[in-house]
Amino acid sequence: EALEAIKKIEQEAEKEAKDATVISMEGDVDAKATEDSPEEKDVGDVKLQKAIDRLKSRVESMVGKIETQLTDVEVKIGNKFHLLDQDGDGVLTMEELAHVLPTVLKRQLTTEEAMAVAADIDTDKDGLFNITELAEWAETNTIAKLAEDGREKDLDDMITKRVAVFKEKRKTALKEEAEEWSGI
């Protein structure tokens, strides 16, 4: 819901920026056509300033909406974030998330399965999780939806696929690292 709202706001901002550009370009054309007439040039400047002011107002409104939505998400997730952060350092690691995934998904997971699902959540692949990554995953991820719906067989199949992908990526990374070390 928050992601859709942000996308809509971005689209509105792009449209407003295009409109302001058109007005600006029209003002330039008007100014060039009437270089001898300072009054008409001032009218073009006034139109441009109005467009700029309108754009600023819309952007400020959009930023306010985004901040409100982010605050809502942080309240929903942030209040529980400290429960996930086992060592209390304010950072959720891959291991901490993998530890709580069986509870979140309401099922037994091996360490490898939990790590594979956690790796899938880590969109920026830094091994750490922030509220935005968790919110996006909760809103859009098939695994979360299957767990909510109680579709055990489909959930098992999805996790098995994620484990296979996780193993392949880890194997490739280890191979690349070994090649890098052998070339030194």
mmCIF file of all heavy atoms in Angstrom, residues 10-62:
data_model
loop_
_atom_site.group_PDB
_atom_site.id
_atom_site.type_symbol
_atom_site.label_atom_id
_atom_site.label_comp_id
_atom_site.label_asym_id
_atom_site.label_seq_id
_atom_site.Cartn_x
_atom_site.Cartn_y
_atom_site.Cartn_z
ATOM 1 N N GLU A 10 5.398 9.812 -7.097
ATOM 2 C CA GLU A 10 6.497 10.040 -8.028
ATOM 3 C C GLU A 10 5.974 10.374 -9.420
ATOM 4 O O GLU A 10 6.507 11.255 -10.096
ATOM 5 C CB GLU A 10 7.405 8.811 -8.095
ATOM 6 C CG GLU A 10 8.260 8.618 -6.860
ATOM 7 C CD GLU A 10 9.054 7.314 -6.894
ATOM 8 O OE1 GLU A 10 8.770 6.446 -7.742
ATOM 9 O OE2 GLU A 10 9.943 7.170 -6.053
ATOM 10 N N GLN A 11 4.917 9.668 -9.863
ATOM 11 C CA GLN A 11 4.336 9.936 -11.169
ATOM 12 C C GLN A 11 3.751 11.347 -11.225
ATOM 13 O O GLN A 11 3.913 12.057 -12.217
ATOM 14 C CB GLN A 11 3.254 8.910 -11.493
ATOM 15 C CG GLN A 11 3.805 7.531 -11.761
ATOM 16 C CD GLN A 11 2.718 6.475 -11.858
ATOM 17 O OE1 GLN A 11 1.581 6.684 -11.442
ATOM 18 N NE2 GLN A 11 3.074 5.306 -12.380
ATOM 19 N N GLU A 12 3.068 11.763 -10.147
ATOM 20 C CA GLU A 12 2.514 13.110 -10.106
ATOM 21 C C GLU A 12 3.628 14.160 -10.165
ATOM 22 O O GLU A 12 3.498 15.184 -10.831
ATOM 23 C CB GLU A 12 1.682 13.304 -8.833
ATOM 24 C CG GLU A 12 0.383 12.532 -8.830
ATOM 25 C CD GLU A 12 -0.366 12.648 -7.509
ATOM 26 O OE1 GLU A 12 0.037 13.449 -6.639
ATOM 27 O OE2 GLU A 12 -1.362 11.934 -7.348
ATOM 28 N N ALA A 13 4.728 13.908 -9.469
ATOM 29 C CA ALA A 13 5.849 14.853 -9.466
ATOM 30 C C ALA A 13 6.453 14.967 -10.864
ATOM 31 O O ALA A 13 6.786 16.064 -11.316
ATOM 32 C CB ALA A 13 6.910 14.419 -8.457
ATOM 33 N N GLU A 14 6.602 13.833 -11.558
ATOM 34 C CA GLU A 14 7.136 13.861 -12.913
ATOM 35 C C GLU A 14 6.229 14.662 -13.843
ATOM 36 O O GLU A 14 6.701 15.470 -14.641
ATOM 37 C CB GLU A 14 7.307 12.442 -13.450
ATOM 38 C CG GLU A 14 8.474 11.702 -12.839
ATOM 39 C CD GLU A 14 8.595 10.272 -13.355
ATOM 40 O OE1 GLU A 14 8.055 9.968 -14.434
ATOM 41 O OE2 GLU A 14 9.224 9.467 -12.658
ATOM 42 N N LYS A 15 4.914 14.455 -13.723
ATOM 43 C CA LYS A 15 3.960 15.184 -14.563
ATOM 44 C C LYS A 15 4.050 16.678 -14.282
ATOM 45 O O LYS A 15 4.084 17.492 -15.200
ATOM 46 C CB LYS A 15 2.534 14.698 -14.313
ATOM 47 C CG LYS A 15 1.500 15.376 -15.211
ATOM 48 C CD LYS A 15 0.100 14.956 -14.855
ATOM 49 C CE LYS A 15 -0.946 15.607 -15.719
ATOM 50 N NZ LYS A 15 -0.893 17.049 -15.799
ATOM 51 N N GLU A 16 4.099 17.040 -13.008
ATOM 52 C CA GLU A 16 4.183 18.452 -12.645
ATOM 53 C C GLU A 16 5.478 19.076 -13.154
ATOM 54 O O GLU A 16 5.494 20.208 -13.629
ATOM 55 C CB GLU A 16 4.072 18.606 -11.126
ATOM 56 C CG GLU A 16 3.868 20.019 -10.671
ATOM 57 C CD GLU A 16 2.538 20.624 -11.078
ATOM 58 O OE1 GLU A 16 1.551 19.881 -11.246
ATOM 59 O OE2 GLU A 16 2.498 21.851 -11.251
ATOM 60 N N ALA A 17 6.576 18.325 -13.083
ATOM 61 C CA ALA A 17 7.859 18.839 -13.578
ATOM 62 C C ALA A 17 7.798 19.057 -15.092
ATOM 63 O O ALA A 17 8.302 20.064 -15.600
ATOM 64 C CB ALA A 17 8.980 17.869 -13.220
ATOM 65 N N LYS A 18 7.160 18.134 -15.814
ATOM 66 C CA LYS A 18 7.009 18.304 -17.260
ATOM 67 C C LYS A 18 6.173 19.537 -17.570
ATOM 68 O O LYS A 18 6.487 20.313 -18.473
ATOM 69 C CB LYS A 18 6.371 17.065 -17.881
ATOM 70 C CG LYS A 18 7.300 15.884 -17.967
ATOM 71 C CD LYS A 18 6.597 14.671 -18.552
ATOM 72 C CE LYS A 18 7.511 13.458 -18.508
ATOM 73 N NZ LYS A 18 6.816 12.246 -18.961
ATOM 74 N N ASP A 19 5.064 19.709 -16.810
ATOM 75 C CA ASP A 19 4.213 20.876 -17.022
ATOM 76 C C ASP A 19 4.994 22.165 -16.780
ATOM 77 O O ASP A 19 4.870 23.128 -17.527
ATOM 78 C CB ASP A 19 2.985 20.832 -16.098
ATOM 79 C CG ASP A 19 2.013 19.714 -16.476
ATOM 80 O OD1 ASP A 19 2.159 19.149 -17.581
ATOM 81 O OD2 ASP A 19 1.122 19.417 -15.659
ATOM 82 N N ALA A 20 5.797 22.185 -15.721
ATOM 83 C CA ALA A 20 6.590 23.381 -15.413
ATOM 84 C C ALA A 20 7.616 23.647 -16.506
ATOM 85 O O ALA A 20 7.878 24.794 -16.860
ATOM 86 C CB ALA A 20 7.275 23.233 -14.061
ATOM 87 N N THR A 21 8.191 22.583 -17.048
ATOM 88 C CA THR A 21 9.161 22.737 -18.134
ATOM 89 C C THR A 21 8.494 23.341 -19.363
ATOM 90 O O THR A 21 9.046 24.238 -19.987
ATOM 91 C CB THR A 21 9.792 21.375 -18.493
ATOM 92 O OG1 THR A 21 10.414 20.848 -17.324
ATOM 93 C CG2 THR A 21 10.810 21.506 -19.603
ATOM 94 N N VAL A 22 7.297 22.873 -19.681
ATOM 95 C CA VAL A 22 6.569 23.420 -20.834
ATOM 96 C C VAL A 22 6.279 24.895 -20.613
ATOM 97 O O VAL A 22 6.498 25.721 -21.490
ATOM 98 C CB VAL A 22 5.249 22.628 -21.071
ATOM 99 C CG1 VAL A 22 4.354 23.355 -22.052
ATOM 100 C CG2 VAL A 22 5.575 21.236 -21.574
ATOM 101 N N ILE A 23 5.812 25.238 -19.412
ATOM 102 C CA ILE A 23 5.527 26.640 -19.115
ATOM 103 C C ILE A 23 6.801 27.469 -19.203
ATOM 104 O O ILE A 23 6.815 28.558 -19.757
ATOM 105 C CB ILE A 23 4.867 26.781 -17.725
ATOM 106 C CG1 ILE A 23 3.462 26.200 -17.778
ATOM 107 C CG2 ILE A 23 4.837 28.235 -17.275
ATOM 108 C CD1 ILE A 23 2.791 26.062 -16.432
ATOM 109 N N SER A 24 7.896 26.927 -18.684
ATOM 110 C CA SER A 24 9.177 27.624 -18.726
ATOM 111 C C SER A 24 9.605 27.859 -20.167
ATOM 112 O O SER A 24 10.043 28.937 -20.526
ATOM 113 C CB SER A 24 10.233 26.806 -17.985
ATOM 114 O OG SER A 24 11.500 27.374 -18.164
ATOM 115 N N MET A 25 9.468 26.819 -20.984
ATOM 116 C CA MET A 25 9.869 26.955 -22.387
ATOM 117 C C MET A 25 8.963 27.951 -23.104
ATOM 118 O O MET A 25 9.420 28.735 -23.923
ATOM 119 C CB MET A 25 9.842 25.594 -23.074
ATOM 120 C CG MET A 25 10.918 24.649 -22.546
ATOM 121 S SD MET A 25 10.792 23.015 -23.238
ATOM 122 C CE MET A 25 11.586 23.306 -24.805
ATOM 123 N N GLU A 26 7.666 27.940 -22.799
ATOM 124 C CA GLU A 26 6.757 28.904 -23.401
ATOM 125 C C GLU A 26 7.144 30.314 -22.989
ATOM 126 O O GLU A 26 7.105 31.246 -23.779
ATOM 127 C CB GLU A 26 5.307 28.613 -22.987
ATOM 128 C CG GLU A 26 4.737 27.372 -23.633
ATOM 129 C CD GLU A 26 3.374 26.996 -23.065
ATOM 130 O OE1 GLU A 26 2.893 27.647 -22.116
ATOM 131 O OE2 GLU A 26 2.788 26.027 -23.575
ATOM 132 N N GLY A 27 7.530 30.477 -21.727
ATOM 133 C CA GLY A 27 7.972 31.781 -21.237
ATOM 134 C C GLY A 27 9.204 32.247 -21.984
ATOM 135 O O GLY A 27 9.328 33.422 -22.330
ATOM 136 N N ASP A 28 10.146 31.326 -22.247
ATOM 137 C CA ASP A 28 11.352 31.673 -23.006
ATOM 138 C C ASP A 28 10.995 32.110 -24.416
ATOM 139 O O ASP A 28 11.529 33.080 -24.932
ATOM 140 C CB ASP A 28 12.323 30.486 -23.065
ATOM 141 C CG ASP A 28 12.988 30.210 -21.724
ATOM 142 O OD1 ASP A 28 12.906 31.079 -20.839
ATOM 143 O OD2 ASP A 28 13.576 29.121 -21.585
ATOM 144 N N VAL A 29 10.077 31.365 -25.053
ATOM 145 C CA VAL A 29 9.656 31.710 -26.413
ATOM 146 C C VAL A 29 8.991 33.077 -26.405
ATOM 147 O O VAL A 29 9.275 33.932 -27.240
ATOM 148 C CB VAL A 29 8.703 30.632 -26.986
ATOM 149 C CG1 VAL A 29 8.077 31.104 -28.276
ATOM 150 C CG2 VAL A 29 9.458 29.337 -27.188
ATOM 151 N N ASP A 30 8.102 33.295 -25.428
ATOM 152 C CA ASP A 30 7.425 34.586 -25.339
ATOM 153 C C ASP A 30 8.434 35.707 -25.141
ATOM 154 O O ASP A 30 8.325 36.768 -25.741
ATOM 155 C CB ASP A 30 6.415 34.606 -24.174
ATOM 156 C CG ASP A 30 5.212 33.721 -24.447
ATOM 157 O OD1 ASP A 30 5.030 33.318 -25.615
ATOM 158 O OD2 ASP A 30 4.463 33.439 -23.488
ATOM 159 N N ALA A 31 9.419 35.484 -24.288
ATOM 160 C CA ALA A 31 10.411 36.513 -23.999
ATOM 161 C C ALA A 31 11.237 36.826 -25.238
ATOM 162 O O ALA A 31 11.533 37.988 -25.512
ATOM 163 C CB ALA A 31 11.316 36.064 -22.850
ATOM 164 N N LYS A 32 11.608 35.814 -26.005
ATOM 165 C CA LYS A 32 12.405 36.045 -27.202
ATOM 166 C C LYS A 32 11.589 36.779 -28.267
ATOM 167 O O LYS A 32 12.111 37.625 -28.976
ATOM 168 C CB LYS A 32 12.912 34.713 -27.762
ATOM 169 C CG LYS A 32 14.005 34.102 -26.899
ATOM 170 C CD LYS A 32 14.431 32.753 -27.436
ATOM 171 C CE LYS A 32 15.435 32.108 -26.494
ATOM 172 N NZ LYS A 32 15.756 30.757 -26.864
ATOM 173 N N ALA A 33 10.322 36.416 -28.368
ATOM 174 C CA ALA A 33 9.471 37.036 -29.383
ATOM 175 C C ALA A 33 9.185 38.492 -29.058
ATOM 176 O O ALA A 33 8.887 39.277 -29.949
ATOM 177 C CB ALA A 33 8.161 36.261 -29.509
ATOM 178 N N THR A 34 9.260 38.831 -27.784
ATOM 179 C CA THR A 34 8.897 40.184 -27.376
ATOM 180 C C THR A 34 10.032 40.862 -26.636
ATOM 181 O O THR A 34 9.823 41.522 -25.633
ATOM 182 C CB THR A 34 7.647 40.144 -26.476
ATOM 183 O OG1 THR A 34 7.968 39.361 -25.332
ATOM 184 C CG2 THR A 34 6.453 39.574 -27.193
ATOM 185 N N GLU A 35 11.240 40.701 -27.144
ATOM 186 C CA GLU A 35 12.386 41.279 -26.463
ATOM 187 C C GLU A 35 12.271 42.786 -26.303
ATOM 188 O O GLU A 35 12.781 43.353 -25.353
ATOM 189 C CB GLU A 35 13.676 40.929 -27.213
ATOM 190 C CG GLU A 35 14.111 39.506 -26.990
ATOM 191 C CD GLU A 35 15.408 39.198 -27.717
ATOM 192 O OE1 GLU A 35 16.010 40.090 -28.342
ATOM 193 O OE2 GLU A 35 15.819 38.032 -27.666
ATOM 194 N N ASP A 36 11.556 43.406 -27.199
ATOM 195 C CA ASP A 36 11.425 44.853 -27.120
ATOM 196 C C ASP A 36 10.401 45.287 -26.080
ATOM 197 O O ASP A 36 10.342 46.442 -25.710
ATOM 198 C CB ASP A 36 11.022 45.419 -28.500
ATOM 199 C CG ASP A 36 12.085 45.135 -29.545
ATOM 200 O OD1 ASP A 36 13.284 45.067 -29.173
ATOM 201 O OD2 ASP A 36 11.720 44.996 -30.722
ATOM 202 N N SER A 37 9.575 44.350 -25.609
ATOM 203 C CA SER A 37 8.491 44.706 -24.698
ATOM 204 C C SER A 37 8.765 44.142 -23.303
ATOM 205 O O SER A 37 8.477 42.979 -23.037
ATOM 206 C CB SER A 37 7.171 44.156 -25.243
ATOM 207 O OG SER A 37 6.155 44.345 -24.310
ATOM 208 N N PRO A 38 9.274 44.936 -22.373
ATOM 209 C CA PRO A 38 9.574 44.461 -21.023
ATOM 210 C C PRO A 38 8.326 44.019 -20.264
ATOM 211 O O PRO A 38 8.386 43.133 -19.431
ATOM 212 C CB PRO A 38 10.228 45.659 -20.334
ATOM 213 C CG PRO A 38 10.507 46.667 -21.375
ATOM 214 C CD PRO A 38 9.714 46.313 -22.581
ATOM 215 N N GLU A 39 7.172 44.634 -20.572
ATOM 216 C CA GLU A 39 5.942 44.251 -19.869
ATOM 217 C C GLU A 39 5.581 42.802 -20.167
ATOM 218 O O GLU A 39 5.210 42.041 -19.278
ATOM 219 C CB GLU A 39 4.763 45.170 -20.264
ATOM 220 C CG GLU A 39 4.917 46.618 -19.865
ATOM 221 C CD GLU A 39 5.678 47.434 -20.908
ATOM 222 O OE1 GLU A 39 5.714 47.045 -22.090
ATOM 223 O OE2 GLU A 39 6.274 48.451 -20.513
ATOM 224 N N GLU A 40 5.691 42.421 -21.443
ATOM 225 C CA GLU A 40 5.350 41.052 -21.819
ATOM 226 C C GLU A 40 6.367 40.066 -21.270
ATOM 227 O O GLU A 40 6.042 38.943 -20.920
ATOM 228 C CB GLU A 40 5.233 40.942 -23.335
ATOM 229 C CG GLU A 40 3.989 41.657 -23.868
ATOM 230 C CD GLU A 40 3.858 41.524 -25.372
ATOM 231 O OE1 GLU A 40 4.502 40.629 -25.960
ATOM 232 O OE2 GLU A 40 3.099 42.313 -25.959
ATOM 233 N N LYS A 41 7.631 40.483 -21.182
ATOM 234 C CA LYS A 41 8.661 39.626 -20.591
ATOM 235 C C LYS A 41 8.354 39.385 -19.117
ATOM 236 O O LYS A 41 8.492 38.272 -18.615
ATOM 237 C CB LYS A 41 10.041 40.259 -20.757
ATOM 238 C CG LYS A 41 11.166 39.376 -20.288
ATOM 239 C CD LYS A 41 12.512 40.017 -20.563
ATOM 240 C CE LYS A 41 13.621 39.097 -20.088
ATOM 241 N NZ LYS A 41 14.931 39.688 -20.286
ATOM 242 N N ASP A 42 7.901 40.425 -18.425
ATOM 243 C CA ASP A 42 7.529 40.292 -17.017
ATOM 244 C C ASP A 42 6.363 39.324 -16.845
ATOM 245 O O ASP A 42 6.316 38.566 -15.883
ATOM 246 C CB ASP A 42 7.167 41.662 -16.422
ATOM 247 C CG ASP A 42 8.398 42.556 -16.274
ATOM 248 O OD1 ASP A 42 9.528 42.011 -16.280
ATOM 249 O OD2 ASP A 42 8.222 43.779 -16.159
ATOM 250 N N VAL A 43 5.417 39.333 -17.784
ATOM 251 C CA VAL A 43 4.282 38.416 -17.729
ATOM 252 C C VAL A 43 4.778 36.972 -17.824
ATOM 253 O O VAL A 43 4.328 36.095 -17.081
ATOM 254 C CB VAL A 43 3.260 38.721 -18.851
ATOM 255 C CG1 VAL A 43 2.220 37.626 -18.954
ATOM 256 C CG2 VAL A 43 2.603 40.074 -18.613
ATOM 257 N N GLY A 44 5.740 36.720 -18.713
ATOM 258 C CA GLY A 44 6.315 35.374 -18.838
ATOM 259 C C GLY A 44 7.021 34.956 -17.561
ATOM 260 O O GLY A 44 6.905 33.811 -17.123
ATOM 261 N N ASP A 45 7.748 35.890 -16.937
ATOM 262 C CA ASP A 45 8.426 35.607 -15.669
ATOM 263 C C ASP A 45 7.416 35.287 -14.573
ATOM 264 O O ASP A 45 7.645 34.408 -13.748
ATOM 265 C CB ASP A 45 9.304 36.788 -15.252
ATOM 266 C CG ASP A 45 10.523 36.959 -16.154
ATOM 267 O OD1 ASP A 45 10.848 36.004 -16.899
ATOM 268 O OD2 ASP A 45 11.137 38.047 -16.105
ATOM 269 N N VAL A 46 6.323 36.016 -14.550
ATOM 270 C CA VAL A 46 5.279 35.783 -13.542
ATOM 271 C C VAL A 46 4.682 34.392 -13.731
ATOM 272 O O VAL A 46 4.484 33.649 -12.771
ATOM 273 C CB VAL A 46 4.191 36.885 -13.612
ATOM 274 C CG1 VAL A 46 2.984 36.516 -12.764
ATOM 275 C CG2 VAL A 46 4.767 38.217 -13.178
ATOM 276 N N LYS A 47 4.406 34.025 -14.989
ATOM 277 C CA LYS A 47 3.866 32.683 -15.264
ATOM 278 C C LYS A 47 4.841 31.602 -14.813
ATOM 279 O O LYS A 47 4.446 30.608 -14.205
ATOM 280 C CB LYS A 47 3.579 32.512 -16.766
ATOM 281 C CG LYS A 47 2.369 33.226 -17.255
ATOM 282 C CD LYS A 47 2.184 32.925 -18.747
ATOM 283 C CE LYS A 47 0.997 33.621 -19.336
ATOM 284 N NZ LYS A 47 0.848 33.332 -20.769
ATOM 285 N N LEU A 48 6.100 31.809 -15.121
ATOM 286 C CA LEU A 48 7.120 30.843 -14.724
ATOM 287 C C LEU A 48 7.204 30.742 -13.213
ATOM 288 O O LEU A 48 7.263 29.646 -12.656
ATOM 289 C CB LEU A 48 8.477 31.227 -15.313
ATOM 290 C CG LEU A 48 9.656 30.320 -14.945
ATOM 291 C CD1 LEU A 48 9.395 28.891 -15.408
ATOM 292 C CD2 LEU A 48 10.935 30.853 -15.552
ATOM 293 N N GLN A 49 7.199 31.860 -12.521
ATOM 294 C CA GLN A 49 7.280 31.847 -11.059
ATOM 295 C C GLN A 49 6.070 31.145 -10.451
ATOM 296 O O GLN A 49 6.202 30.386 -9.494
ATOM 297 C CB GLN A 49 7.403 33.274 -10.510
ATOM 298 C CG GLN A 49 7.691 33.305 -9.016
ATOM 299 C CD GLN A 49 8.980 32.572 -8.663
ATOM 300 O OE1 GLN A 49 10.008 32.753 -9.287
ATOM 301 N NE2 GLN A 49 8.917 31.721 -7.649
ATOM 302 N N LYS A 50 4.891 31.363 -11.025
ATOM 303 C CA LYS A 50 3.685 30.682 -10.535
ATOM 304 C C LYS A 50 3.815 29.171 -10.721
ATOM 305 O O LYS A 50 3.454 28.395 -9.841
ATOM 306 C CB LYS A 50 2.441 31.194 -11.258
ATOM 307 C CG LYS A 50 1.977 32.554 -10.782
ATOM 308 C CD LYS A 50 0.711 32.971 -11.506
ATOM 309 C CE LYS A 50 0.247 34.343 -11.040
ATOM 310 N NZ LYS A 50 -0.965 34.773 -11.759
ATOM 311 N N ALA A 51 4.343 28.761 -11.864
ATOM 312 C CA ALA A 51 4.536 27.331 -12.119
ATOM 313 C C ALA A 51 5.535 26.737 -11.132
ATOM 314 O O ALA A 51 5.325 25.645 -10.598
ATOM 315 C CB ALA A 51 4.993 27.094 -13.553
ATOM 316 N N ILE A 52 6.595 27.468 -10.868
ATOM 317 C CA ILE A 52 7.613 27.005 -9.914
ATOM 318 C C ILE A 52 7.013 26.905 -8.520
ATOM 319 O O ILE A 52 7.213 25.910 -7.816
ATOM 320 C CB ILE A 52 8.840 27.942 -9.931
ATOM 321 C CG1 ILE A 52 9.592 27.788 -11.248
ATOM 322 C CG2 ILE A 52 9.750 27.664 -8.742
ATOM 323 C CD1 ILE A 52 10.683 28.829 -11.469
ATOM 324 N N ASP A 53 6.260 27.918 -8.115
ATOM 325 C CA ASP A 53 5.630 27.900 -6.791
ATOM 326 C C ASP A 53 4.652 26.727 -6.665
ATOM 327 O O ASP A 53 4.598 26.055 -5.637
ATOM 328 C CB ASP A 53 4.900 29.220 -6.521
ATOM 329 C CG ASP A 53 5.864 30.394 -6.340
ATOM 330 O OD1 ASP A 53 7.068 30.145 -6.096
ATOM 331 O OD2 ASP A 53 5.403 31.551 -6.445
ATOM 332 N N ARG A 54 3.881 26.484 -7.728
ATOM 333 C CA ARG A 54 2.924 25.374 -7.721
ATOM 334 C C ARG A 54 3.665 24.039 -7.616
ATOM 335 O O ARG A 54 3.269 23.149 -6.863
ATOM 336 C CB ARG A 54 2.074 25.439 -8.992
ATOM 337 C CG ARG A 54 0.788 24.670 -8.904
ATOM 338 C CD ARG A 54 -0.169 24.930 -10.065
ATOM 339 N NE ARG A 54 0.453 24.736 -11.364
ATOM 340 C CZ ARG A 54 0.532 25.671 -12.311
ATOM 341 N NH1 ARG A 54 0.025 26.863 -12.115
ATOM 342 N NH2 ARG A 54 1.116 25.413 -13.465
ATOM 343 N N LEU A 55 4.765 23.919 -8.343
ATOM 344 C CA LEU A 55 5.568 22.699 -8.294
ATOM 345 C C LEU A 55 6.159 22.495 -6.898
ATOM 346 O O LEU A 55 6.108 21.400 -6.348
ATOM 347 C CB LEU A 55 6.680 22.745 -9.338
ATOM 348 C CG LEU A 55 7.613 21.539 -9.406
ATOM 349 C CD1 LEU A 55 6.827 20.275 -9.728
ATOM 350 C CD2 LEU A 55 8.697 21.763 -10.438
ATOM 351 N N LYS A 56 6.688 23.557 -6.313
ATOM 352 C CA LYS A 56 7.243 23.458 -4.959
ATOM 353 C C LYS A 56 6.178 23.009 -3.969
ATOM 354 O O LYS A 56 6.425 22.160 -3.117
ATOM 355 C CB LYS A 56 7.816 24.804 -4.508
ATOM 356 C CG LYS A 56 9.156 25.138 -5.082
ATOM 357 C CD LYS A 56 9.632 26.480 -4.529
ATOM 358 C CE LYS A 56 10.931 26.923 -5.131
ATOM 359 N NZ LYS A 56 11.346 28.255 -4.617
ATOM 360 N N SER A 57 5.008 23.581 -4.088
ATOM 361 C CA SER A 57 3.909 23.239 -3.179
ATOM 362 C C SER A 57 3.528 21.766 -3.317
ATOM 363 O O SER A 57 3.334 21.066 -2.323
ATOM 364 C CB SER A 57 2.700 24.131 -3.488
ATOM 365 O OG SER A 57 1.600 23.737 -2.722
ATOM 366 N N ARG A 58 3.441 21.305 -4.548
ATOM 367 C CA ARG A 58 3.098 19.891 -4.768
ATOM 368 C C ARG A 58 4.174 18.965 -4.224
ATOM 369 O O ARG A 58 3.885 17.949 -3.618
ATOM 370 C CB ARG A 58 2.895 19.623 -6.256
ATOM 371 C CG ARG A 58 1.588 20.137 -6.756
ATOM 372 C CD ARG A 58 0.936 19.080 -7.590
ATOM 373 N NE ARG A 58 -0.359 19.529 -8.004
ATOM 374 C CZ ARG A 58 -0.953 19.140 -9.084
ATOM 375 N NH1 ARG A 58 -0.350 18.296 -9.874
ATOM 376 N NH2 ARG A 58 -2.143 19.565 -9.374
ATOM 377 N N VAL A 59 5.433 19.309 -4.472
ATOM 378 C CA VAL A 59 6.541 18.478 -3.979
ATOM 379 C C VAL A 59 6.524 18.428 -2.464
ATOM 380 O O VAL A 59 6.667 17.360 -1.867
ATOM 381 C CB VAL A 59 7.898 18.986 -4.518
ATOM 382 C CG1 VAL A 59 9.053 18.319 -3.804
ATOM 383 C CG2 VAL A 59 7.994 18.760 -6.021
ATOM 384 N N GLU A 60 6.325 19.581 -1.825
ATOM 385 C CA GLU A 60 6.249 19.606 -0.362
ATOM 386 C C GLU A 60 5.101 18.747 0.144
ATOM 387 O O GLU A 60 5.236 18.020 1.128
ATOM 388 C CB GLU A 60 6.112 21.046 0.134
ATOM 389 C CG GLU A 60 7.380 21.860 -0.010
ATOM 390 C CD GLU A 60 7.186 23.347 0.268
ATOM 391 O OE1 GLU A 60 6.048 23.766 0.601
ATOM 392 O OE2 GLU A 60 8.175 24.088 0.148
ATOM 393 N N SER A 61 3.975 18.805 -0.529
ATOM 394 C CA SER A 61 2.818 17.986 -0.151
ATOM 395 C C SER A 61 3.138 16.500 -0.307
ATOM 396 O O SER A 61 2.816 15.693 0.565
ATOM 397 C CB SER A 61 1.624 18.363 -1.025
ATOM 398 O OG SER A 61 0.553 17.485 -0.803
ATOM 399 N N MET A 62 3.795 16.159 -1.418
ATOM 400 C CA MET A 62 4.150 14.751 -1.652
ATOM 401 C C MET A 62 5.141 14.255 -0.604
ATOM 402 O O MET A 62 5.012 13.143 -0.103
ATOM 403 C CB MET A 62 4.729 14.587 -3.055
ATOM 404 C CG MET A 62 3.700 14.703 -4.141
ATOM 405 S SD MET A 62 4.416 14.354 -5.747
ATOM 406 C CE MET A 62 4.441 15.984 -6.442
#
